[in-house]
Amino acid sequence: MRFLLEEGLSEARTQIVWDAIALHTSSGIANWKGPVAEFAQQGIALDIGGQGTDRLPPGFADEAHARFPRLGVEDALADAIVSQVLANPAKGMFMTLPG
């Protein structure tokens, strides 16, 4: 949040960004925190987990990936999560993605 405040975002807009980031894995909560948190959660779920890809127009994902290649993000993310949990098992709580 400090970065956004230092860049001139208001406290209210900074809180919206924080909520979107903090709740990006919480579909049942994000939709109650406003359109930015809900949109971020749905977009990340679609991109990382594939939920909702059936609602995309045919060829949309292929075009998006051609313009913005994945560059191994899935493996890099998984490796980063595993490293964090190995360094601090408390970050891998039961029933969470890291867990």
Side-chain angles (χ1 to χ4, degrees):
M1 287 181 62
R2 181 177 38 210
F3 171 78
L4 297 176
L5 292 169
E6 290 171 358
E7 289 297 311
L9 252 61
S10 69
E11 185 90 24
R13 291 190 75 185
T14 299
Q15 185 64 54
I16 291 169
V17 172
W18 189 93
D19 288 346
I21 294 168
L23 299 173
H24 78 276
T25 61
S26 302
S27 61
I29 301 171
N31 61 321
W32 290 98
K33 292 298 286 184
V36 174
E38 182 175 11
F39 186 71
Q41 186 280 322
Q42 289 181 8
I44 293 165
L46 186 140
D47 187 39
I48 300 295
Q51 294 102 344
T53 54
D54 57 317
R55 296 186 309 225
L56 295 174
F60 182 86
D62 293 333
E63 182 178 334
H65 291 149
R67 290 175 132 184
F68 306 101
R70 308 283 301 172
L71 302 175
V73 68
E74 297 91 344
D75 292 335
L77 180 60
D79 290 347
I81 291 169
V82 168
S83 294
Q84 289 287 312
V85 174
L86 290 175
N88 182 356
K91 292 183 177 182
M93 295 173 50
F94 182 67
M95 298 298 288
T96 66
L97 175 64

